[in-house]
Amino acid sequence: MPQHEQAMRRHFHQAAARRGFAVAPAQEAAVERLARLAAELARPAWTFPKPPRDLYVWGPVGRGKSWLVDTFYEGLPTERKRRLHFHDFFRRLHDGVTAPGARRDGQSAVDSALDELIGDSKVLVFDEFHAHDAGDAMLIARLFRTLLDRRITLVTTSNYPPAGLMPDPLYHHLFEPTIQLIEQRMDVLDVSGPVDFRRLAAPRSRDGGRRFATGLCLPPGGTAPADAGLALPSPAEATTVPAHLRELPARAVRGELVWLGFDALCETATAVSDYLALAERFCTLVLDGVPPLAEASADGRQRFANLVDVACDRDVRLVLIGADPLTALPDGPVLTRDLDRTASRLAMLGRPA
């Protein structure tokens, strides 16, 4: 058995033991495949004619996908590697392609932006890859083709199987060529299993904190703890805050806290890049006027799900004021996995007795 494969397998089990658990049966096949990939990457390129096959790790929320690829990444001895959350990577790629002075001949613009983002890295790890925005479908398709054609080893996680990407039936056909490319050129690993690890322990931020899990869900007019700093904004506090490429109306900005309305943030043409910009500046995000998601538009539901993703992933304290957003959910498959993930993450927030 190759030395590097043994070392990576041992690294996985030691990493699990340090956190007080064992590798779950549903994760074993992924651990074996990632260990084999580590051995393949350690071989001199001249010893095999083709690069290793890329990996697409998918499963429901809470099955340890991020832990699997993070542990793999940490165990790779090479320095020519890059790990990025897909939201952040795609925002920066989009900025690079559309920046003033960027080349306008399509593939060259993507190549130039990729050069800036990944440099000479030979291994790229994406966390939480998804495709919902029909307007971004072509750029994501070009990104995947370019990465695969450059022989950059790609490892990505997703809550969707490849066939479930771009789930809106109005736009799914636009993404079918990319789905076919993924299925042809990537090994697809299903880590579905009965254990939701998020329910076993609250997520920790990089500095050991649990800011997201200190968030709250409050009814309209509900009272927050006295030390929560959540006094209702006065009209004089209304202002605007810079997001990505726009200004957003805010009911208040108080140091590292921003107070926004659901309609202004989720029912207007905002994007994940705007939520990332807010997360970079603010530690607490208050969202009021939250309706049951059954009463929101389809786009509003999707934006809300993306906002919760960003707040959790960036460990931003999220305070929701309004109705329980997850009551009377709409029927249909389009947002099922996103809303499952959203429900799991909102379950971490405190609620008044």
Side-chain angles (χ1 to χ4, degrees), residues 7-267:
M8 180 59 76
R9 186 181 292 105
R10 185 166 55 250
H11 172 67
F12 269 107
H13 288 279
Q14 290 172 345
R18 285 194 298 270
R19 296 182 57 167
F21 63 88
V23 174
Q27 297 173 326
E28 286 286 0
V31 167
E32 292 298 314
R33 183 64 187 88
L34 287 164
R36 190 162 74 251
L37 177 59
E40 292 167 350
L41 290 169
R43 295 171 57 186
W46 58 266
T47 64
F48 55 96
K50 295 181 179 180
R53 283 182 61 82
D54 304 281
L55 300 183
Y56 183 104
V57 182
W58 79 275
V61 62
R63 269 53 183 183
K65 301 182 297 294
S66 296
W67 177 81
L68 285 166
V69 298
D70 284 350
T71 303
F72 167 75
Y73 181 85
E74 291 163 2
L76 285 178
T78 180
E79 295 297 319
R80 297 177 65 184
K81 59 184 180 180
R82 186 70 56 89
R83 191 268 193 208
L84 292 163
H85 191 284
F86 186 73
H87 284 323
D88 191 26
F89 179 87
F90 190 70
R91 177 188 64 165
R92 292 160 63 186
L93 176 68
H94 192 277
D95 288 350
V97 171
T98 59
R103 295 179 64 176
R104 300 302 179 191
D105 53 349
Q107 187 68 42
S108 296
V110 174
D111 283 339
S112 178
L114 281 174
D115 288 340
E116 291 293 325
L117 284 171
I118 64 177
D120 67 347
S121 297
K122 298 301 293 180
V123 180
L124 181 62
V125 174
F126 280 153
D127 197 19
E128 296 210 15
F129 170 70
H130 72 261
H132 289 293
D133 189 334
D136 291 335
M138 296 305 294
L139 182 54
I140 294 175
R142 185 165 292 158
L143 163 66
F144 263 71
R145 286 197 302 271
T146 301
L147 289 174
L148 296 174
D149 290 344
R150 280 186 173 204
R151 297 168 67 98
I152 295 170
T153 298
L154 177 63
V155 178
T156 187
T157 71
S158 180
N159 293 319
Y160 297 84
L165 295 167
M166 193 68 72
D168 191 324
L170 292 176
Y171 306 112
H172 182 76
H173 67 282
L174 298 174
F175 211 68
E176 286 179 345
T178 306
I179 292 170
Q180 293 172 3
L181 182 68
I182 291 171
E183 292 176 337
Q184 291 168 2
R185 299 180 59 177
M186 302 184 76
D187 286 345
V188 179
L189 305 177
D190 180 357
V191 295
S192 301
V195 179
D196 184 345
F197 293 99
R198 290 185 181 273
R199 298 188 183 277
L200 302 181
R204 292 183 178 272
S205 62
R206 290 183 179 86
D207 62 2
R210 291 177 174 174
R211 192 181 298 123
F212 179 81
T214 67
L216 296 166
C217 286
L218 301 172
T223 57
D227 61 351
L230 297 176
L232 286 174
S234 67
E237 289 184 275
T239 184
T240 60
V241 292
H244 180 219
L245 299 176
R246 73 191 82 219
E247 298 276 332
L248 295 174
R251 295 189 62 192
V253 172
R254 300 169 182 165
E256 294 186 334
L257 178 149
V258 61
W259 192 306
L260 301 143
F262 183 91
D263 284 348
L265 193 60
C266 298
E267 292 290 7

Side-chain angles (χ1 to χ4, degrees), residues 251-285:
R251 295 189 62 192
V253 172
R254 300 169 182 165
E256 294 186 334
L257 178 149
V258 61
W259 192 306
L260 301 143
F262 183 91
D263 284 348
L265 193 60
C266 298
E267 292 290 7
T268 56
T270 55
V272 168
S273 55
D274 297 309
Y275 314 147
L276 287 165
L278 293 173
E280 289 169 0
R281 178 177 173 186
F282 299 102
C283 294
T284 298
L285 192 155

Side-chain angles (χ1 to χ4, degrees), residues 261-347:
F262 183 91
D263 284 348
L265 193 60
C266 298
E267 292 290 7
T268 56
T270 55
V272 168
S273 55
D274 297 309
Y275 314 147
L276 287 165
L278 293 173
E280 289 169 0
R281 178 177 173 186
F282 299 102
C283 294
T284 298
L285 192 155
V286 182
L287 190 69
D288 69 9
V290 177
L293 291 185
E295 299 176 10
S297 68
D299 287 341
R301 292 193 292 270
Q302 183 62 68
R303 293 187 187 106
F304 178 76
N306 290 342
L307 174 67
V308 173
D309 278 352
V310 170
C312 184
D313 295 333
R314 295 306 176 91
D315 202 29
V316 171
R317 184 172 186 245
L318 183 64
V319 179
L320 305 178
I321 302 175
D324 182 345
L326 299 177
T327 57
L329 290 176
D331 294 329
V334 173
L335 291 180
T336 298
R337 288 191 181 85
D338 279 351
L339 291 179
D340 283 348
R341 181 174 69 249
T342 301
S344 176
R345 290 178 165 178
L346 293 186

